[in-house]
Structure formats: structure tokens, C-alpha cells
């Protein structure tokens, strides 16, 4: 494997960093998240028009750039540096792979071109706070119980009595960019207990009975919504025999690599801003960055961020390693953001300071996609790190004619009199 970036990838990084450096400073980020959409629509269209960012991993036959997950991860590292509020993650990393994997030919032809050009945004809606479980990031759920399991709660689907189509009812929370997406991919349970299964459905933003409410969240750069479905008409994505859980797990592996790169970008930028600050801030007549204790803390952060970056780059080429890379990146972002607040001193503890943007992103990402210890535990289970080798080893077969080995009598216990 050649992990070196190509000239095209370096150009994507350079151009994207230049655009975001001009249009996505901390003040612009704070202004964008307070709009109705939760992001700067004009900047989103510029990124789509000049770089093809929403369609970077969409095949060329559908109007995309035709790159792979590694290119999307590289781009998200730059958006993470700027904490760009945009529908990129929800649309390109979560919904596009599902439409590509499960959609019929007609659905792919109808949906992927507008998704690739940024004219249409999409969001993945799963019931309850179960996004990490649905994407198989923190555990496997072969039965799909997170989608409702036929019980009260979750999202339920039933075939339209009039024939042709489906009706959905229920609710989903923590839907990334769900309040502004033009298309919703809703995971719903159907079939009752006899034919219990989870399917994905397409719901348009103007569907009757659909109620979307933007929620107050810790990290405003990741807007979330509550989706209520009141007998909403929906279109089945693909067919009823589709392996929805497998497609969600595959999407989760790719998304974890993208999220790891994004978190590394944020951690690297938080560290760079902290280094710049300690070079300027003076205490006792000298810059605080010249004190040995501060140097040691920054050196430890640098090592942790670089290690997380290496893991994220490796996962970009091998998404099966995405879970471990995401755990390492989220931990690096959390530690770096916390140290940034500490090293900024009294000003860093003010809630309005820019350092808290990174701290909020670290906390919110771990709540959505973690926690770190569960990401690591699941990755270890998948790799079989803690499997009992004795249990896995084949037992010697005894010939059928062989006499059973006699069991020795139990030892007599000696009793003192």
C-alpha cells in the first residue's frame, strides 16, 4: 500500500484550506450555526461548485467526482480544522453510501446527481439515541432491535392499505442536519414479530405528517433534529430483501474513518492555536511557552495528535480499522481541547472563548459516536483479541471403540481428631 498523497489530493487539501481560511473563521462559524439552516448555504454551494465536495465519493456516472473514501477523509480533515458547520457528514458520509448500496437503478439515477452537486442534502434518521449502534460502531445488533423491535417507540412501517407505498409512524432523535435536509433516510421496523426486520425508507421534506424540530445541543456546529412521523408516506429504498443491517455496518466503517480524520483536523488546529497563544502570553517577564512544564505538556499533545493522524490515514485506506482510528482520534481531540482550555488560563475558561468550540465538538462527537472505551472494546471483539485460544482450538477426537477413561475416585479428606 502506498500511503503517500497524490498531487490531486494535495491540491484538494490546499484549495479547501484556502477557501475555509477566508470564509470559515470562528466568528463566521458562530454566525452560521445561528441561521435557520445551521450552516452557511452560500459557502456550501461554493464548496460544491468549485470542489465538488458533496460528490467527492460519488461515481462519475452519477455526476460525482469519482474519488474514494480516502479523498473524502482528507477533505473532512480540513473541514474539521475549521469546525465547518455543513451537511457534508450527513449527506456524503452517511446517506450517499446507503443510496449507492441499497437503491434501485432508478433511485440511484434520481437521487445521486442532486446529492453530488449539493442541490439536495440528506440525513439518516434512526430511532432513539442509537446512531452508533445502527452503524455498528459500538456493538453488533443482528436483530435490529434499535429500530423499535415491534414494540412501542422507535419508528414502525406498514404497507399502505391502498397498495403501492408505505406509511411510517414514530419518532427519531439526534438526527444530524435533520431539520434542513431535503431528503430523509428513515430506518424503520416492519413485519411485526413474525417477520421482524429493519428497512430504510425515503421521506421527502414536504411529506404530509412529517414534523421536524431543531434541538438545542451542546455543539451547535453539529445541528440535530427531532423527527416525528405521523402516518407519513414513504418510499422503500431498494427492495424488501436488502441487507440493510449489513449496509449500515459497512457505512459505519467508512464513516468512522471520515470522522477520525475530521477529529484529527480539529485536534491539530486546537493544538496549533494553543502553541501560538503560549508563545505570546507572558508571565514573570517571559513567554509561558518557554517554561519546561508547558513544553512537556505540548510535546505530549503533539505525539498524541500525530499518532491519531497516522491511525486516521491508515483507516482511510482500510476502513475496517475505522473503529480503532475513531477511538484514538476522539480521545486525542478530547485531551487536546481540554489542555487548550487549561493552557489559555483564565481567558480559556470563559464559555465564549474559541477554545470551547473544540471542547464542545469533542464532547458531542463522543456522545454521538462513542464513547471511546466502547469503540475500542467493539474493535477488539471484531479482531478476536480477547478470544480464548483454548476454546477455539479443536479438541482431539476419541475413537468410538475406545473405552472411556475411568474417573479416579475422589481423594479422602483427612480429619484431625
Amino acid at each position: 500500500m502506498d500511503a503517500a498523497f497524490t498531487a490531486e489530493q494535495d491540491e484538494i487539501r490546499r484549495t479547501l484550506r484556502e477557501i475555509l481560511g477566508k470564509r470559515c473563521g470562528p466568528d463566521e462559524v458562530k454566525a452560521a450555526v445561528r441561521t435557520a439552516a445551521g450552516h452557511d448555504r452560500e459557502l456550501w454551494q461554493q464548496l460544491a461548485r468549485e470542489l465538488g465536495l458533496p460528490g467527492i465519493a460519488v461515481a462519475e456516472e452519477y455526476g460525482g467526482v469519482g474519488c474514494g473514501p480516502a479523498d473524502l477523509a482528507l477533505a473532512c480533515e480540513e473541514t474539521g480544522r475549521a469546525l465547518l458547520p455543513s451537511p457534508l457528514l450527513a449527506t456524503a458520509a452517511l446517506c450517499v453510501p446507503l443510496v449507492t448500496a441499497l437503491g434501485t437503478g432508478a433511485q440511484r439515477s434520481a437521487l445521486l446527481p442532486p446529492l453530488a452537486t449539493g442541490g439536495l442534502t440528506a440525513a439518516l434518521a434512526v430511532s432513539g439515541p442509537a446512531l452508533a449502534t445502527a452503524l455498528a460502531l459500538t456493538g453488533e445488533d443482528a436483530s435490529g432491535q434499535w429500530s423499535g423491535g415491534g414494540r412501542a417507540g422507535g419508528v414502525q412501517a406498514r404497507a399502505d392499505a391502498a397498495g403501492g407505498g408505505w406509511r411510517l409512524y414514530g419518532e427519531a432523535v439526534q438526527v444530524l442536519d435533520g431539520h434542513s435536509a431535503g431528503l430523509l433516510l428513515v430506518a424503520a421496523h416492519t413485519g411485526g414479530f413474525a417477520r421482524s426486520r429493519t428497512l430504510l425508507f425515503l421521506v421527502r421534506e414536504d411529506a404530509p405528517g412529517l414534523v421536524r424540530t431543531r434541538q438545542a445541543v451542546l455543539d451547535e456546529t453539529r445541528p440535530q433534529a427531532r423527527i416525528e412521523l405521523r402516518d407519513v408516506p414513504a418510499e422503500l429504498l431498494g427492495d424488501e430483501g436488502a441487507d440493510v443491517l449489513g449496509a449500515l455496518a459497512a457505512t459505519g466503517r467508512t464513516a468512522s474513518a471520515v470522522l477520525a480524520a475530521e477529529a484529527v483536523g480539529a485536534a491539530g488546529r486546537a493544538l496549533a492555536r494553543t502553541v501560538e497563544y503560549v508563545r505570546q502570553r507572558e508571565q514573570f517577564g517571559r513567554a509561558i511557552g518557554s517554561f519546561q512544564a508547558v513544553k512537556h505538556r505540548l510535546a505530549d499533545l503533539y505525539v498524541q495528535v500525530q499518532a491519531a493522524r497516522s491511525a486516521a490515514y491508515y483507516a482511510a485506506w482500510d476502513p475496517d480499522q475505522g473503529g480503532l482510528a475513531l477511538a484514538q482520534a476522539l480521545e486525542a481531540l478530547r485531551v487536546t481541547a481540554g489542555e487548550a482550555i487549561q493552557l489559555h488560563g483564565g481567558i480559556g475558561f470563559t464559555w465564549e472563548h474559541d477554545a470551547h468550540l473544540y471542547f464542545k465538538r469533542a464532547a458531542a462527537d463522543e456522545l454521538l459516536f462513542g464513547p471511546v472505551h466502547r469503540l475500542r472494546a467493539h474493535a477488539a471483539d471484531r479482531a478476536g483479541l480477547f478470544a480464548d485460544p483454548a476454546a477455539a482450538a479443536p479438541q482431539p477426537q476419541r475413537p468410538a471403540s475406545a473405552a472411556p477413561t475411568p474417573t479416579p475416585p475422589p481423594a479422602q479428606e483427612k480429619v484431625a481428631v
Side-chain angles (χ1 to χ4, degrees), residues 262-275:
E262 189 186 62
V264 164
R269 182 57 182 154
L271 177 58
R273 289 171 63 95
T274 305
V275 170

Side-chain angles (χ1 to χ4, degrees), residues 297-373:
R297 293 172 72 173
L298 292 173
D300 290 341
L301 293 179
Y302 177 80
V303 171
Q304 190 163 6
V305 171
Q306 290 302 318
R309 177 173 284 113
S310 296
Y313 287 170
Y314 185 82
W317 274 272
D318 183 9
D320 285 341
Q321 309 303 321
L324 281 177
L326 179 58
Q328 192 162 355
L330 290 181
E331 185 175 37
L333 176 57
R334 182 187 64 204
V335 174
T336 303
E339 287 289 338
I341 292 176
Q342 291 281 340
L343 292 173
H344 274 79
I347 190 175
F349 278 88
T350 58
W351 193 243
E352 295 79 8
H353 193 270
D354 295 342
H356 283 265
L357 291 174
Y358 299 93
F359 179 78
K360 295 172 187 176
R361 169 63 67 88
D365 275 7
E366 195 163 349
L367 289 172
L368 276 173
F369 307 110
V372 167
H373 70 275

Side-chain angles (χ1 to χ4, degrees), residues 107-385:
Q107 288 173 334
R108 290 196 296 267
S109 299
L111 296 176
L112 290 179
L115 288 172
T117 59
L120 176 66
T121 59
L124 175 63
V126 300
S127 60
L131 182 59
T133 304
L135 296 175
L137 296 178
T138 57
E140 301 285 350
D141 186 0
S143 61
Q145 292 298 313
W146 51 265
S147 65
R151 299 174 176 84
V155 179
Q156 309 296 325
R158 59 177 174 82
D160 196 336
W166 295 76
R167 315 291 292 193
L168 304 182
Y169 55 98
E171 70 172 20
V173 297
Q174 293 182 341
V175 181
L176 290 175
D177 294 290
H179 68 292
S180 61
L183 177 69
L184 295 176
L185 270 66
V186 182
H189 178 270
T190 187
F193 289 101
R195 298 180 58 201
S196 176
R197 63 195 185 279
T198 300
L199 299 175
L200 281 177
F201 297 87
L202 303 173
V203 177
R204 297 286 180 173
E205 60 179 335
D206 57 353
L210 175 64
V211 179
R212 305 190 292 180
T213 306
R214 185 173 178 179
Q215 295 180 299
V217 292
L218 176 64
D219 178 19
E220 293 180 313
T221 65
R222 287 235 197 271
Q224 301 173 30
R226 175 187 296 274
I227 306 298
E228 298 178 39
L229 303 128
R230 303 170 180 174
D231 202 29
V232 175
E235 176 187 355
L236 178 65
L237 179 63
D239 56 67
E240 294 190 41
D243 183 12
V244 173
L245 299 181
L248 284 168
T251 299
R253 289 191 291 272
T254 303
S256 61
V258 171
L259 284 163
E262 189 186 62
V264 164
R269 182 57 182 154
L271 177 58
R273 289 171 63 95
T274 305
V275 170
E276 181 181 357
Y277 176 79
V278 300
R279 285 176 175 173
Q280 299 173 356
R281 177 74 169 92
E282 292 188 356
Q283 190 80 21
F284 305 112
R286 54 190 288 193
I288 61 174
S290 64
F291 292 108
Q292 191 175 31
V294 175
K295 289 181 180 180
H296 287 173
R297 293 172 72 173
L298 292 173
D300 290 341
L301 293 179
Y302 177 80
V303 171
Q304 190 163 6
V305 171
Q306 290 302 318
R309 177 173 284 113
S310 296
Y313 287 170
Y314 185 82
W317 274 272
D318 183 9
D320 285 341
Q321 309 303 321
L324 281 177
L326 179 58
Q328 192 162 355
L330 290 181
E331 185 175 37
L333 176 57
R334 182 187 64 204
V335 174
T336 303
E339 287 289 338
I341 292 176
Q342 291 281 340
L343 292 173
H344 274 79
I347 190 175
F349 278 88
T350 58
W351 193 243
E352 295 79 8
H353 193 270
D354 295 342
H356 283 265
L357 291 174
Y358 299 93
F359 179 78
K360 295 172 187 176
R361 169 63 67 88
D365 275 7
E366 195 163 349
L367 289 172
L368 276 173
F369 307 110
V372 167
H373 70 275
R374 290 190 61 189
L375 287 168
R376 286 201 174 108
H378 180 52
D381 287 341
R382 290 182 65 244
L385 294 182

